[in-house]
Amino acid sequence: MSVPPQMLASVLTARHEIALERRDVPEPGPGQVLARVTAVGVCGSDTHFYESGNVGDIVVEGPIVLGHETAGEIVAVGPGGDVSRVGERIAIDPQRPCRRCPHCKHGRSHLCPDMKMYGAYPHDGSFAEYVLVEDDFAFAIPDTMTDEEAALVEPLSVAVHACRRAGVTAGSRVLITGAGPIGVMCAQAARAFGATEIVVSDPMPLRRDYIAQHGADEVIDPASTELADYAERFDVYLDASGNTRAVQSAFAAIRRGGTAVLVGMGALDYEVPIAMLQHREITLTGTFRYVNTWPTAIELISSGTVDVSGLVTGRYGLDKTADALMKAKTDPTAIKTMIIPALTEFQDAP
Amino acid sequence: MSVPPQMLASVLTARHEIALERRDVPEPGPGQVLARVTAVGVCGSDTHFYESGNVGDIVVEGPIVLGHETAGEIVAVGPGGDVSRVGERIAIDPQRPCRRCPHCKHGRSHLCPDMKMYGAYPHDGSFAEYVLVEDDFAFAIPDTMTDEEAALVEPLSVAVHACRRAGVTAGSRVLITGAGPIGVMCAQAARAFGATEIVVSDPMPLRRDYIAQHGADEVIDPASTELADYAERFDVYLDASGNTRAVQSAFAAIRRGGTAVLVGMGALDYEVPIAMLQHREITLTGTFRYVNTWPTAIELISSGTVDVSGLVTGRYGLDKTADALMKAKTDPTAIKTMIIPALTEFQDAP
Amino acid sequence: MSVPPQMLASVLTARHEIALERRDVPEPGPGQVLARVTAVGVCGSDTHFYESGNVGDIVVEGPIVLGHETAGEIVAVGPGGDVSRVGERIAIDPQRPCRRCPHCKHGRSHLCPDMKMYGAYPHDGSFAEYVLVEDDFAFAIPDTMTDEEAALVEPLSVAVHACRRAGVTAGSRVLITGAGPIGVMCAQAARAFGATEIVVSDPMPLRRDYIAQHGADEVIDPASTELADYAERFDVYLDASGNTRAVQSAFAAIRRGGTAVLVGMGALDYEVPIAMLQHREITLTGTFRYVNTWPTAIELISSGTVDVSGLVTGRYGLDKTADALMKAKTDPTAIKTMIIPALTEFQDAP
Amino acid sequence: MSVPPQMLASVLTARHEIALERRDVPEPGPGQVLARVTAVGVCGSDTHFYESGNVGDIVVEGPIVLGHETAGEIVAVGPGGDVSRVGERIAIDPQRPCRRCPHCKHGRSHLCPDMKMYGAYPHDGSFAEYVLVEDDFAFAIPDTMTDEEAALVEPLSVAVHACRRAGVTAGSRVLITGAGPIGVMCAQAARAFGATEIVVSDPMPLRRDYIAQHGADEVIDPASTELADYAERFDVYLDASGNTRAVQSAFAAIRRGGTAVLVGMGALDYEVPIAMLQHREITLTGTFRYVNTWPTAIELISSGTVDVSGLVTGRYGLDKTADALMKAKTDPTAIKTMIIPALTEFQDAP
């Protein structure tokens, strides 16, 4: 497999400015592989970086290639690497932890303070033709899995991690607030973990309709139904909205001894019904990325347990990255938008 | 709903002797309900009592009504009970723990030393027209669930308890030895808990064929395939055979840090590969009955997560209890035999 | 052992009014024992009932005997009870759960919606000469344990339950806010669970001095030291203050993946640093009473692992109940006040 | 700090042959430090290698420096390392896992199939003046901790890992078989985890006497007392003997739902009371090395929670390594023998 010396990459150069540039293809170091990118999902955090130049504490201070929901094919391995992997189709976990801190050693490397996260400044991501990956974070996928399914392993991982932290298991009753892409993934993952009742609340009718077809047993319009009416009904509550009011209103619907996991990002601080949390011994926590989820998420998709077909609602070449980034904002029917480098129409970089 | 003063009951009077007797219908005490029996599964332990007069330490010393996989309908409640439950269709957990010992208080009432277990000497079971039950062990079933499905909640509970103790979760790889009724239930339950690879070993071709259609991804004939070939492949191993050799050979197929749970009953003592258990930090344990499984198992069946249709391969009236008890022994194609009191052909009791 | 027909009891008849009354000694029912009260601790909730007539949702609507931190001696058993227990010295868990709801069956009976709690309206407690108890909530104590130590099993239970929910184990670093009686018990319990670093924050110098001698490795004055200076240092945070500001400021001192448990009662709702909780995957929960803690707490005291000597700073007869209830409020050096019925000076009831 | 070009090392050249050799001091690579060895404990596995040339599957096929219970002082760091650590006193975890396999990533790196274990063929250990260590497996110790205490962190780690796997917590009742060095460490660790009753069985009176002074509440002579007499008494059973008969007899003393952890190495296979394990739902597992135990074990010793003073019963220079290795075999009063390189009397290497 021949690798060209240069590649196209979509570079965020300033707020609201994406430039399609020619860059040198990077060379894999020890323990790394070089992957040709076949499909990359657009994440809400990519759009947030594009629009505002930051996500939480992470501020873009220079040119950066976004993109971290990535499928690819290994085209080269670093020194000492396993050359037999060249040609392998992969789904990519975009994390590069230090492997040496207590968090890494205890199996919670996603909390590593020295994490290098691809696609988050200053580590270039995969809105490009090629990307470097840690070899053990490049996971082989079966022939039956499509590139787009492989890219969707990342958002599914978010949901798998949430279900693990929430302890979803056979027979769980699960409430989800937010029916966007993460809400849909949470519903799918909860089902895969054995949940037998999945109720989803979202104010947007289109999203409610979609999730009613993709994992929810019941949908709620929060404008007309109080979550408090589901008094102490749910074992697990997952927030996929980041909406303060949604979270606050959901507590009354959690059973004594139940668990609430905040997946969506929202306000820095807000009021929590503390006395209720105490009297009912509700456990509240959040998720930060994911850890050790790729093998599970790949299995869930490839075994047919989780069905992600139909989630992709738009496909763009690298030359249309800006359009792709704004699609989710401008089109309420968009669930997941993909960048497909092979669809890029040639144009000279500026 | 009128309850007659007497009922028919199949009474084990001696080894290999079942008499259809007329008995007084019992009256529910405080905290009890009286149920009309609609369907009762025949368990291997019933057959064992019938043939040998004991199961382990439990020895039959007088007349006993067997039967503990029971569906019914509440026809009366004890003093102070909730009369609105009369008419409610139920699945019955046949346990009556003391509710006061440390085991009961810690949520492991199935290990209560003062357990009264219906259908195990000296507590009459449900091969009869009516049976008494603790009101909180009589679980309402939805209209959509058949009586036979409700009776199958008991064997499914065995498997649910095994999967909980084994920690089966989304993405688990599970090995099962034994493809009889409990093996089938284990495969179904493991799937419901999220297992994505379920491999079952059984020497009988008919059973392998059956389970390949009812939950297994792959079946193995132990006469031709060594489990050791699946080196360290499985997260979880469930034995549903009680066969010493099967258990011993399965250890090599369990991954480091994996779990083995013995569900089937077999020899009192046998050799275990202790050094392998230590070097791989494999966890070995067993299951004894079940605890808090009815709500989950009812949900799994009624939600369609577990499909038990097609498991019932024979139906008999109370007058044919002896035939039913021997069916599993004499017919290798029999999976689950039911006693249906309503099918009883009238005959005078001796 | 002869039991008189009547007894003295301190009855809360209205806010700020305690009457010493003669009442009939109650008779134990099935599953109950009658205990002669030997020592009862005064809890902050008793004082709260006395002063304001409620604790949270529980409102005093009629005469009530307070008191739930109780040591005693069995003087009679109910019908069918074990008469050999007469004469047994006991520590009393003041809970009477329904034993039949899902919470009770799962080993979390403290969350039972039908809980009857002694000493909380409308269930009379033990500021009296005799009290009725469930026989399995009356725990034998060794001869070497004093009555006052047995009464202190209750507040120690609060702390044992908190340490269990927090997962305190060998080597844990624990931060505690609040150095009142519950803070002291939390420090002692955390030590017993294996914590090797226990830091306690309290604004009152007397309390800081006391806890520095009774379990804390280090004390902090929040007026001069920011908890944020202990950046991500602690595995576990226990609040024993109920103070909103204390809880909010403690989050920054919890390590990624750490746990915060709210033991003290305070405001109904307040702001929590949600983004920090998410980014660090901090787990936040509370405690409500305790469950299955008596055997452990008795062992911890009787084995010398926890030293409660010196905690009792005042002793009163039943005739001085009102004084005892106000002692903790009026005397900052008071740690734990005891009602000792045997110290009651005779007086005619009004 | 100047490091000489050569050092003395005790090299196992054949069964029963140890040569004191001059070797080049190794140079630390990236991520490594070079430590001057200050104290090394002699382990039973060292003696086993010396006598028989193997421990289990690990066979000595060439010259090897044994020794893995090591205290030292950092004298040099590898390229890019933190030079400020030179001079730091350390306790050394002798493991070097791959950091990339699923076991490493899940926080169970001790089960890594590509583990490089210092002091186990073919990786040289620390019966030498200097040794190389992974920088993140070299743990700083406080000034108050002696070198010998730092070397004892390794055997304490074995016990800490066992207590974690067994779930020892406040109030646990623990049975230990075997009162050798590991048994003593298990008793000490169990106490540190909160156990309030620790009973130890050993046939040797000297060992029983020793452990009765160092952690046991009660000692048993198995020649005169049946463990079965302690019917279902213990929450946790730890085997530190590797003796088949001891393990088999201990099962009857474990409570329903209790845990048995095999720490001592013994026979490859043996009979286990399987029906008892099933009926009581006993969990049986083993320990293999340890993982993430150094910080905890250092804290336990330095905080005074675990007292290892008095465990060291012999000290030898490198020139007396063979004597040290045989000491535990020949002297029943020997608990822990140390190699102290500074005690080495000069002699020309052969």
Side-chain angles (χ1 to χ4, degrees):
Chain A
M1 199 166 301
S2 88
V3 180
Q6 286 204 311
M7 66 177 186
L8 292 173
S10 293
V11 184
L12 178 69
T13 54
R15 281 179 52 192
H16 286 116
E17 293 196 18
I18 296 272
L20 187 66
E21 297 185 1
R22 283 199 187 283
R23 290 187 161 194
D24 289 348
V25 172
E27 287 203 29
Q32 293 187 319
V33 299
L34 178 70
R36 182 174 63 80
V37 177
T38 51
V40 200
V42 174
C43 173
S45 68
D46 295 321
T47 304
H48 203 278
F49 271 127
Y50 175 70
E51 285 197 289
S52 63
N54 77 299
V55 170
D57 297 341
I58 307 170
V59 180
V60 174
E61 298 170 7
I64 176 74
V65 178
L66 300 171
H68 58 271
E69 305 181 353
T70 318
E73 179 185 2
I74 295 177
V75 293
V77 301
D82 176 2
V83 291
S84 76
R85 293 193 67 187
V86 172
E88 187 179 291
R89 298 173 62 240
I90 57 174
I92 296 172
D93 182 341
Q95 301 178 95
R96 191 165 61 183
C98 82
R99 304 175 188 273
R100 292 177 165 264
C101 72
H103 297 291
C104 285
K105 286 174 167 178
H106 278 85
R108 46 177 198 262
S109 63
H110 60 308
L111 301 181
C112 172
D114 294 322
M115 175 68 79
K116 291 176 180 61
M117 180 89 180
Y118 294 109
Y121 189 82
H123 307 289
D124 281 339
S126 46
F127 288 163
E129 290 180 302
Y130 295 92
V131 69
L132 284 183
V133 198
E134 298 294 286
D135 60 6
D136 58 329
F137 285 74
F139 293 87
I141 58 171
D143 294 344
T144 51
M145 182 177 273
T146 67
D147 294 329
E148 292 184 355
E149 285 173 331
L152 289 166
V153 167
E154 200 272 356
L156 180 56
S157 280
V158 171
V160 165
H161 185 56
C163 286
R164 285 183 183 164
R165 282 189 65 71
V168 178
T169 187
S172 292
R173 292 173 174 170
V174 177
L175 171 68
I176 299 170
T177 47
I182 292 300
V184 171
M185 288 297 184
C186 282
Q188 291 275 339
R191 181 79 62 203
F193 276 74
T196 45
E197 180 176 321
I198 300 171
V199 177
V200 183
S201 170
D202 196 290
M204 290 174 60
L206 278 169
R207 288 188 155 183
R208 287 201 302 274
D209 291 350
Y210 187 86
I211 206 164
Q213 305 297 323
H214 290 83
D217 294 301
E218 181 184 339
V219 291
I220 298 175
D221 177 359
S224 58
T225 304
E226 290 290 326
L227 290 177
D229 295 346
Y230 293 75
E232 301 189 25
R233 178 161 189 84
F234 299 102
D235 303 294
V236 167
Y237 162 57
L238 305 175
D239 175 61
S241 74
N243 182 285
T244 297
R245 188 70 200 101
V247 174
Q248 289 168 333
S249 63
F251 271 84
I254 306 170
R255 73 155 166 83
R256 297 165 195 226
T259 302
V261 176
L262 307 180
V263 185
M265 304 300 296
L268 287 178
D269 309 272
Y270 53 79
E271 275 204 350
V272 168
I274 289 291
M276 187 186 289
L277 177 145
Q278 290 183 283
H279 281 120
R280 299 191 183 170
E281 290 196 348
I282 291 170
T283 296
L284 170 69
T285 190
T287 59
F288 186 61
R289 300 181 193 129
Y290 27 63
V291 62
N292 295 319
T293 48
W294 256 250
T296 299
I298 290 171
E299 277 300 306
L300 291 180
I301 294 175
S302 65
S303 67
T305 307
V306 165
D307 177 12
V308 292
S309 69
L311 288 183
V312 177
T313 49
R315 294 168 183 84
Y316 296 81
L318 289 167
D319 53 315
K320 299 288 195 310
T321 299
D323 294 347
L325 284 165
M326 293 311 292
K327 184 66 175 176
K329 300 280 287 195
T330 56
D331 179 359
T333 68
I335 300 290
K336 181 54 74 176
T337 303
M338 285 278 159
I339 300 283
I340 309 291
L343 296 180
T344 309
E345 292 179 29
F346 179 77
Q347 41 177 237
D348 282 328
Chain B
M1 197 166 302
S2 88
V3 181
Q6 287 204 308
M7 66 176 185
L8 291 174
S10 292
V11 183
L12 179 68
T13 53
R15 281 179 52 194
H16 285 117
E17 293 194 19
I18 296 271
L20 186 65
E21 298 185 0
R22 283 200 187 280
R23 290 186 162 195
D24 289 348
V25 172
E27 287 202 30
Q32 292 187 319
V33 298
L34 177 70
R36 183 174 61 81
V37 176
T38 51
V40 200
V42 174
C43 174
S45 68
D46 295 320
T47 305
H48 203 279
F49 271 128
Y50 175 70
E51 285 197 289
S52 63
N54 78 298
V55 170
D57 297 341
I58 306 170
V59 180
V60 174
E61 297 170 8
I64 175 77
V65 178
L66 299 172
H68 57 273
E69 304 182 354
T70 318
E73 178 185 3
I74 294 177
V75 292
V77 301
D82 176 2
V83 291
S84 76
R85 293 192 70 189
V86 172
E88 186 180 293
R89 297 173 62 240
I90 56 173
I92 297 172
D93 182 340
Q95 300 178 95
R96 191 165 60 184
C98 82
R99 305 176 188 270
R100 292 178 165 262
C101 72
H103 297 291
C104 285
K105 286 173 168 179
H106 278 83
R108 46 176 199 264
S109 61
H110 60 309
L111 301 180
C112 172
D114 294 321
M115 175 68 79
K116 291 177 180 60
M117 180 89 180
Y118 293 110
Y121 189 81
H123 307 289
D124 281 338
S126 46
F127 288 162
E129 290 180 301
Y130 295 91
V131 69
L132 285 184
V133 197
E134 299 293 288
D135 60 7
D136 57 330
F137 285 74
F139 293 88
I141 57 170
D143 294 343
T144 52
M145 181 177 273
T146 67
D147 295 329
E148 292 184 357
E149 286 174 330
L152 288 165
V153 167
E154 200 272 357
L156 180 56
S157 279
V158 171
V160 165
H161 185 57
C163 286
R164 285 183 184 165
R165 283 189 64 72
V168 178
T169 186
S172 291
R173 292 173 173 170
V174 177
L175 172 66
I176 298 170
T177 48
I182 293 299
V184 171
M185 287 296 183
C186 283
Q188 291 274 340
R191 181 78 63 202
F193 275 75
T196 46
E197 181 177 320
I198 299 170
V199 178
V200 183
S201 171
D202 195 291
M204 291 174 58
L206 278 169
R207 289 188 153 183
R208 288 201 302 274
D209 290 351
Y210 187 86
I211 206 165
Q213 305 297 324
H214 290 83
D217 294 301
E218 182 184 339
V219 291
I220 299 174
D221 178 359
S224 58
T225 303
E226 290 289 327
L227 290 178
D229 294 347
Y230 292 76
E232 301 188 24
R233 179 163 189 83
F234 299 101
D235 303 295
V236 166
Y237 162 57
L238 305 175
D239 175 61
S241 74
N243 182 286
T244 297
R245 187 72 200 97
V247 175
Q248 289 168 333
S249 64
F251 270 83
I254 306 170
R255 72 156 167 83
R256 298 163 195 225
T259 302
V261 175
L262 307 180
V263 185
M265 303 300 295
L268 287 178
D269 309 271
Y270 52 80
E271 275 205 349
V272 167
I274 291 289
M276 187 186 288
L277 177 145
Q278 291 183 281
H279 281 120
R280 297 189 184 172
E281 289 195 349
I282 290 170
T283 296
L284 171 68
T285 190
T287 58
F288 186 62
R289 301 184 195 125
Y290 28 63
V291 61
N292 295 320
T293 48
W294 257 251
T296 299
I298 290 172
E299 278 297 307
L300 292 179
I301 293 174
S302 64
S303 67
T305 307
V306 165
D307 177 12
V308 291
S309 68
L311 287 182
V312 178
T313 49
R315 295 167 183 84
Y316 295 81
L318 288 167
D319 54 316
K320 299 289 195 311
T321 299
D323 294 348
L325 285 165
M326 293 311 291
K327 184 66 176 177
K329 299 281 287 196
T330 55
D331 179 357
T333 68
I335 300 289
K336 179 56 71 176
T337 303
M338 286 276 159
I339 300 283
I340 309 291
L343 296 182
T344 308
E345 293 179 28
F346 178 77
Q347 37 178 241
D348 282 328
Chain C
M1 195 167 303
S2 88
V3 180
Q6 287 203 309
M7 65 177 185
L8 292 173
S10 293
V11 184
L12 178 68
T13 53
R15 281 179 53 193
H16 286 117
E17 293 194 19
I18 296 272
L20 186 65
E21 298 185 0
R22 283 200 188 281
R23 289 189 162 193
D24 289 348
V25 173
E27 285 202 33
Q32 292 188 319
V33 297
L34 178 71
R36 183 174 62 79
V37 176
T38 52
V40 201
V42 174
C43 174
S45 68
D46 295 321
T47 304
H48 203 279
F49 271 127
Y50 175 71
E51 285 198 289
S52 63
N54 77 300
V55 170
D57 297 341
I58 307 171
V59 181
V60 173
E61 298 170 7
I64 175 77
V65 177
L66 299 173
H68 58 273
E69 305 182 353
T70 318
E73 179 186 1
I74 294 177
V75 293
V77 300
D82 176 1
V83 291
S84 75
R85 292 192 70 187
V86 171
E88 186 179 292
R89 297 174 62 241
I90 56 173
I92 296 173
D93 182 341
Q95 300 178 95
R96 191 165 61 183
C98 81
R99 303 175 189 271
R100 291 179 165 261
C101 72
H103 298 290
C104 285
K105 287 174 167 179
H106 278 83
R108 46 175 198 264
S109 62
H110 61 309
L111 301 181
C112 172
D114 294 322
M115 174 68 80
K116 291 176 180 59
M117 181 89 181
Y118 293 109
Y121 189 81
H123 306 289
D124 281 339
S126 46
F127 288 163
E129 289 181 301
Y130 295 92
V131 69
L132 285 183
V133 198
E134 299 292 289
D135 61 6
D136 58 330
F137 285 74
F139 293 89
I141 58 170
D143 294 343
T144 52
M145 181 176 273
T146 67
D147 294 330
E148 291 184 357
E149 287 173 331
L152 289 164
V153 167
E154 200 271 358
L156 181 56
S157 279
V158 171
V160 165
H161 185 57
C163 287
R164 284 183 183 163
R165 283 190 64 73
V168 178
T169 186
S172 291
R173 293 172 173 171
V174 177
L175 171 66
I176 298 170
T177 47
I182 292 299
V184 172
M185 288 296 183
C186 283
Q188 291 275 340
R191 182 79 63 203
F193 276 74
T196 46
E197 181 177 321
I198 298 170
V199 178
V200 182
S201 171
D202 195 292
M204 291 174 59
L206 279 169
R207 289 189 154 183
R208 288 201 302 274
D209 291 350
Y210 186 86
I211 206 164
Q213 305 297 324
H214 290 83
D217 294 300
E218 183 184 338
V219 291
I220 298 174
D221 177 0
S224 58
T225 303
E226 290 289 327
L227 291 178
D229 295 347
Y230 293 76
E232 301 189 24
R233 180 160 188 85
F234 299 101
D235 303 295
V236 166
Y237 162 55
L238 304 176
D239 175 61
S241 75
N243 181 286
T244 297
R245 186 72 200 99
V247 175
Q248 289 168 334
S249 65
F251 271 83
I254 306 170
R255 72 156 168 83
R256 297 164 195 225
T259 302
V261 175
L262 307 180
V263 185
M265 303 300 295
L268 287 178
D269 309 271
Y270 53 80
E271 275 204 349
V272 167
I274 290 289
M276 187 186 289
L277 178 146
Q278 291 183 281
H279 281 121
R280 297 189 183 171
E281 289 195 349
I282 290 171
T283 296
L284 170 68
T285 190
T287 58
F288 186 62
R289 303 185 193 123
Y290 27 63
V291 62
N292 295 319
T293 48
W294 257 251
T296 299
I298 290 171
E299 278 298 307
L300 291 179
I301 293 175
S302 65
S303 67
T305 307
V306 165
D307 177 12
V308 291
S309 69
L311 287 183
V312 177
T313 50
R315 294 167 183 84
Y316 296 81
L318 288 167
D319 53 316
K320 299 288 194 311
T321 300
D323 293 348
L325 285 165
M326 293 311 291
K327 184 67 176 175
K329 299 281 288 197
T330 56
D331 179 358
T333 68
I335 301 290
K336 180 55 72 176
T337 303
M338 285 277 159
I339 300 282
I340 310 290
L343 296 181
T344 308
E345 292 179 30
F346 179 77
Q347 39 178 237
D348 282 329
Chain D
M1 197 165 302
S2 90
V3 181
Q6 286 204 311
M7 66 176 186
L8 292 173
S10 293
V11 184
L12 177 68
T13 53
R15 280 178 53 192
H16 285 116
E17 291 195 20
I18 296 273
L20 187 65
E21 297 185 1
R22 283 199 187 282
R23 290 187 162 194
D24 290 347
V25 172
E27 288 203 28
Q32 292 187 320
V33 298
L34 178 69
R36 183 175 63 80
V37 176
T38 52
V40 201
V42 175
C43 173
S45 68
D46 295 321
T47 304
H48 203 278
F49 271 127
Y50 175 70
E51 285 197 288
S52 64
N54 78 298
V55 170
D57 297 342
I58 307 171
V59 181
V60 173
E61 297 170 7
I64 176 74
V65 178
L66 299 172
H68 59 272
E69 303 182 354
T70 318
E73 179 186 2
I74 294 176
V75 294
V77 301
D82 176 2
V83 291
S84 76
R85 293 192 68 188
V86 172
E88 185 179 293
R89 297 173 62 240
I90 56 174
I92 297 172
D93 183 341
Q95 302 178 95
R96 191 166 61 183
C98 83
R99 304 174 188 272
R100 291 178 166 263
C101 72
H103 297 289
C104 286
K105 286 174 167 178
H106 279 83
R108 47 177 198 262
S109 62
H110 60 308
L111 302 181
C112 172
D114 293 321
M115 175 68 79
K116 291 177 181 60
M117 180 89 180
Y118 293 110
Y121 189 82
H123 307 288
D124 281 338
S126 47
F127 288 162
E129 290 181 300
Y130 294 92
V131 68
L132 284 183
V133 197
E134 299 294 287
D135 60 7
D136 58 328
F137 285 74
F139 293 88
I141 57 171
D143 294 344
T144 52
M145 181 177 274
T146 68
D147 295 330
E148 291 184 356
E149 287 174 331
L152 289 165
V153 167
E154 200 273 354
L156 181 57
S157 280
V158 171
V160 165
H161 184 57
C163 287
R164 284 183 183 164
R165 283 189 64 72
V168 178
T169 187
S172 290
R173 293 173 173 171
V174 177
L175 171 67
I176 298 170
T177 48
I182 292 299
V184 172
M185 288 296 183
C186 282
Q188 291 274 340
R191 181 79 63 202
F193 276 75
T196 45
E197 180 177 321
I198 300 171
V199 178
V200 183
S201 170
D202 195 292
M204 290 176 60
L206 278 169
R207 289 188 154 182
R208 287 201 301 274
D209 291 349
Y210 187 86
I211 206 164
Q213 305 297 324
H214 290 81
D217 294 300
E218 181 184 339
V219 291
I220 299 175
D221 178 358
S224 59
T225 303
E226 290 289 327
L227 290 178
D229 295 345
Y230 293 76
E232 302 189 25
R233 179 161 189 85
F234 299 101
D235 302 295
V236 166
Y237 162 57
L238 304 176
D239 176 61
S241 74
N243 181 286
T244 296
R245 187 70 200 100
V247 175
Q248 289 168 334
S249 64
F251 271 83
I254 306 170
R255 73 156 166 84
R256 298 165 195 225
T259 302
V261 176
L262 307 180
V263 185
M265 304 299 297
L268 287 179
D269 309 272
Y270 53 81
E271 275 205 348
V272 167
I274 290 290
M276 187 186 290
L277 178 145
Q278 290 183 282
H279 281 121
R280 298 190 184 171
E281 290 197 349
I282 291 170
T283 295
L284 171 68
T285 190
T287 59
F288 186 62
R289 301 183 193 125
Y290 27 63
V291 62
N292 295 319
T293 48
W294 257 250
T296 298
I298 290 171
E299 278 299 308
L300 291 179
I301 294 175
S302 65
S303 67
T305 307
V306 165
D307 177 11
V308 293
S309 70
L311 288 183
V312 177
T313 50
R315 294 168 183 83
Y316 296 81
L318 287 167
D319 53 316
K320 299 290 196 309
T321 299
D323 293 348
L325 284 166
M326 293 310 291
K327 184 65 175 176
K329 299 281 287 197
T330 56
D331 179 357
T333 68
I335 300 290
K336 180 55 73 175
T337 303
M338 286 276 159
I339 300 282
I340 309 291
L343 296 181
T344 309
E345 294 180 27
F346 180 77
Q347 41 177 237
D348 282 328

